[in-house]
């Protein structure tokens, strides 16, 4: 498979930008003092221009090209009413790692330190950072940071920005809380990690691996963050050529690296799954699992990698009016939530974070740019690489098939009278059993007797869930039924497995609860009739 490392920019080539202008100003020694400046968004480009020229010795023309082609498009994606703290010199862990494994060994002088921009949604003054009374206000107003690194012209480095910092944030996404220190005070920001590639130590493939592991390491204790040097060491085990300067990675190498970092990685190809491919991507995104998307053009000249981390908020009218449905469940009309056309949240290292695009048109931002339409309009999302928890053995395609079989008249539907009549909406996703049981206990709205029947059922660490809703209840954020599968049981239902072994643990639908124990099903009548709140703990909207 082709390597994907694509960097798309009309910025000047690195050779056009001088590294230094003589002298020792801003060389990053211990004698340098940390300088902090407070600016509004409209003043940031001019301040950066002054710093790039004075600290790194760049010429005026070179800085203007960097600002026009890289920095201003990035800042234009953000709200224009933010307030910015500019710190320099700043020691960035990701760039410093790249510096020592590559840049420090070059003849030309390269700088060790960076500039960092920190963003706040409210006005700030120097004295606010030294006031305990103001600390809580600044903490609520903090919107994250962007590192400006001296890897000219690709200067956008490690980034952690809240979706609240961008102009449009009508979406749900996976995020974690990242730590940062601004002007000696500690803050936290809800964000998904992002970085652009530098063209030498990290390409799009490495940035997607880094961003994914940065997210998982903050979110779950089982994982740890990685830096470019460690990604390189992992790839060396299966590569027959040098890893620096990086020329990109193949999809197989990315999958291998993710597996070596502790995941049970899966790879799905559009060519194999055809019309089901988008639904499988949707299922994993709905599960709160960020995936690596592989983009390729039909001519085989472009290979690119992105993280897909969320989706736009759905309009209930769009969902219930979807043409994607199945008509094989007792003659009823079953709308597959995961096959509905919608936009998803892309983390693309050629753009600012949180870009929205459809799975069938993932490069719409490239196509909009002058001179790129012909090159990028033929690029498709061809594969996704999924970082599954290593003990999840039941993958999405098989789990989906099992749910549909359970609801179908030829399967368990006859046994437990799971009659789907009229229109129903089916939403499938993964969840941790801990989070699911907490939701059943505190947030579902089910009566206590029903809660206890579900909570007393043994479950593995991760489970597959299928919610069944009417259009009316879906519009209210509710459902009428739910099925639970064991994510550690990779059985695929067939005539042979129907009565021998099931991954289905329990179900609750129309006042009937049934539980399964090694092929033996117990049916329990319940008095509860009506709808209850849907599960919302995977993808969330970030609010202030």
């Amino acid at each position: 498979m082709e390597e994907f490392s694509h960097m798309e920019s009309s910025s000047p080539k690195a050779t056009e930008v001088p590294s230094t202008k003589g002298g020792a100003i801003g060389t990053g020694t211990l004698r340098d003092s940390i300088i902090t400046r407070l600016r509004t968004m409209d003043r940031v480009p001019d301040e950066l221009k002054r710093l790039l020229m004075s600290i790194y010795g760049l010429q005026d023309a070179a800085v203007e090209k960097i600002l026009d082609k890289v920095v201003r498009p990035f800042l234009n994606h953000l709200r224009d009413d933010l307030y910015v703290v500019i710190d320099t010199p700043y020691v960035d862990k990701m760039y410093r790692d790249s510096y020592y494994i590559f840049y420090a060994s070059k003849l030309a002088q390269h700088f060790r330190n960076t500039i960092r921009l920190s963003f706040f949604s409210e006005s700030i003054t120097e004295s606010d950072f030294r006031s305990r009374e103001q600390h809580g206000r600044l903490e609520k107003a903090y919107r994250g940071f962007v590192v400006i690194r001296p890897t000219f012209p690709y200067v956008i480095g490690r980034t952690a920005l809240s979706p609240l910092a961008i102009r449009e944030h009508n979406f749900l996404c996976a995020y974690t809380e990242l730590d940062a220190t601004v002007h000696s005070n500690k803050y936290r920001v809800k964000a998904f990690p992002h970085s652009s590639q530098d063209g030498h130590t990290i390409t799009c493939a490495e940035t997607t691996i880094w961003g994914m592991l940065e997210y998982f390491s903050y979110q779950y204790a089982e994982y740890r963050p990685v830096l470019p040097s460690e990604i390189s060491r992992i790839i060396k085990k299966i590569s027959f050529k040098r890893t620096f300067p990086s020329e990109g990675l193949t999809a197989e190498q990315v999958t291998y690296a993710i597996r070596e970092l502790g995941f049970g990685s899966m790879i799905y190809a559009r060519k194999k799954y055809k019309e089901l491919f988008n639904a499988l991507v949707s299922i994993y995104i709905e599960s709160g699992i960020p995936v690596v998307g592989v983009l390729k053009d039909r001519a085989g000249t472009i290979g690119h990698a992105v993280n897909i981390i969320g989706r736009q908020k759905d309009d209930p009218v769009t969902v219930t009016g979807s043409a994607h449905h199945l008509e094989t469940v007792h003659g009823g009309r079953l709308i597959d939530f995961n096959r509905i056309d919608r936009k998803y949240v892309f983390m693309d290292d050629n753009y600012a974070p949180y870009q929205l695009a459809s799975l069938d048109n993932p490069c719409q931002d490239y196509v909009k740019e002058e001179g790129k339409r012909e090159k990028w309009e033929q690029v498709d999302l061809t594969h996704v690489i999924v970082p599954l928890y290593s003990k999840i053995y039941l993958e999405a395609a098989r789990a989906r098939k099992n749910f549909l079989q359970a609801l179908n008249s030829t399967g368990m539907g006859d046994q437990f009278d799971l009659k789907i009549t009229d229109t129903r909406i089916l939403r499938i996703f993964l969840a941790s059993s801990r989070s699911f049981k907490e939701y059943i206990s505190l947030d579902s709205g089910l009566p206590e007797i029903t809660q206890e029947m579900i909570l007393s059922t043994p479950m593995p660490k991760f489970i597959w869930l299928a919610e069944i809703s009417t259009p009316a209840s879906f519009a209210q954020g509710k459902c009428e039924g739910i099925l639970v599968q064991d994510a550690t049981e990779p059985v695929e239902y067939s005539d042979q497995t129907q009565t021998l072994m099931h991954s289905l643990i329990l179900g609750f639908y129309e006042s009937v609860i049934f539980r399964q124990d090694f092929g033996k099903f117990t049916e329990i009548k319940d008095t509860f009739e009506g709808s209850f709140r849907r599960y919302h703990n995977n993808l969330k909207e970030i609010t202030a």
Side-chain angles (χ1 to χ4, degrees), residues 269-289:
R270 183 181 291 275
K271 185 177 292 186
K272 176 180 178 180
Y273 289 95
K274 299 180 175 60
E275 69 278 357
L276 188 59
F277 178 78
N278 286 1
L280 297 178
V281 178
S282 172
I283 288 172
Y284 284 118
I285 297 301
E286 201 66 18
S287 304
I289 299 176

Side-chain angles (χ1 to χ4, degrees), residues 401-402 405 410-411 491-502:
K401 180 180 178 181
N402 290 349
Q405 185 72 13
T410 60
V491 66
E492 181 174 349
Y493 290 180
S494 66
D495 293 339
Q496 288 72 38
T497 61
Q498 281 297 315
T499 57
L500 297 177
M501 179 74 71
H502 287 280

Side-chain angles (χ1 to χ4, degrees), residues 9 85 93-94 99 159 173 236 256 263 276 289 295 346 359 364 368 375 410 441 502 505 518:
S9 176
V85 178
K93 64 179 182 180
M94 188 180 184
Y99 174 83
T159 298
C173 70
K236 278 182 179 179
Y256 173 81
F263 296 92
L276 188 59
I289 299 176
L295 308 178
F346 284 69
L359 299 180
Q364 62 183 46
K368 292 176 184 177
K375 186 177 181 181
T410 60
S441 176
H502 287 280
I505 299 174
F518 293 102

Side-chain angles (χ1 to χ4, degrees), residues 131-321:
S131 168
R132 180 171 291 277
E133 290 73 22
Q134 291 294 323
H135 182 73
R137 181 180 73 87
L138 295 186
E139 198 167 36
K140 291 180 180 179
Y142 183 57
R143 294 294 180 261
F145 64 85
V146 176
V147 171
I148 305 297
R149 66 191 179 206
T151 52
F152 313 116
Y154 310 108
V155 295
I156 301 297
R158 188 169 63 98
T159 298
L161 282 175
S162 167
L164 297 177
I166 69 174
R167 294 179 183 273
E168 301 291 338
H169 53 268
N170 185 35
F171 56 79
L172 309 174
C173 70
Y175 66 83
T176 189
E177 291 195 17
L178 296 120
D179 301 310
T181 300
V182 184
H183 211 10
S184 302
N185 293 343
K186 294 180 180 179
Y187 301 100
R188 294 176 71 83
V189 59
K190 295 176 180 178
F192 193 94
H194 177 266
S195 177
S196 71
Q197 53 189 299
D198 62 17
H200 295 297
T201 65
I202 51 172
T203 66
C204 59
E206 288 90 350
T207 61
T208 56
I209 296 172
W210 167 83
M212 182 174 289
L213 265 295
E214 192 81 352
Y215 162 78
F216 276 107
S217 66
Y218 273 93
Q219 193 73 354
Y220 304 104
E222 292 93 333
Y223 306 104
R224 57 184 179 81
V226 295
L227 291 170
S229 59
E230 183 168 1
I231 296 173
S232 173
R233 284 195 294 270
I234 292 172
I235 298 303
K236 278 182 179 179
K237 299 176 183 178
I238 57 171
S239 177
F240 294 99
K241 61 182 180 180
R242 67 184 186 183
T243 55
F244 292 120
S246 177
E247 296 179 1
L249 307 177
T250 65
E252 288 84 355
Q253 287 174 323
V254 173
T255 307
Y256 173 81
I258 292 173
R259 191 199 69 184
E260 288 294 291
L261 291 166
F263 296 92
S265 52
M266 292 284 298
I267 184 167
Y268 293 87
R270 183 181 291 275
K271 185 177 292 186
K272 176 180 178 180
Y273 289 95
K274 299 180 175 60
E275 69 278 357
L276 188 59
F277 178 78
N278 286 1
L280 297 178
V281 178
S282 172
I283 288 172
Y284 284 118
I285 297 301
E286 201 66 18
S287 304
I289 299 176
V291 303
V292 175
V294 179
L295 308 178
K296 293 183 180 180
D297 70 331
R298 293 153 204 175
T301 59
I302 292 179
H304 190 41
V306 296
N307 279 322
I308 310 174
I309 67 166
R311 61 167 174 83
Q312 68 178 121
K313 289 195 291 186
D314 283 313
D315 178 2
V317 175
T318 302
V319 173
T320 56

Side-chain angles (χ1 to χ4, degrees), residues 32-39 44 47-48 50-52 55-56 84-92 113-120 124 126 129-130 142 144-150 180-185 187:
D32 292 335
S33 297
I34 298 174
I35 301 171
T36 301
R37 294 173 175 82
L38 280 60
R39 296 288 184 264
V44 170
E47 185 65 32
L48 278 179
R50 193 185 68 78
L51 291 174
L52 290 173
I55 297 175
Y56 303 120
V84 187
V85 178
I86 304 176
D87 290 319
T88 184
Y90 175 69
V91 178
D92 178 62
N113 294 330
T114 65
I115 301 168
R116 186 183 60 174
L117 312 181
S118 301
F119 300 88
F120 292 83
I124 48 179
E126 187 80 17
F129 290 94
R130 302 296 175 256
Y142 183 57
F145 64 85
V146 176
V147 171
I148 305 297
R149 66 191 179 206
T181 300
V182 184
H183 211 10
S184 302
N185 293 343
Y187 301 100

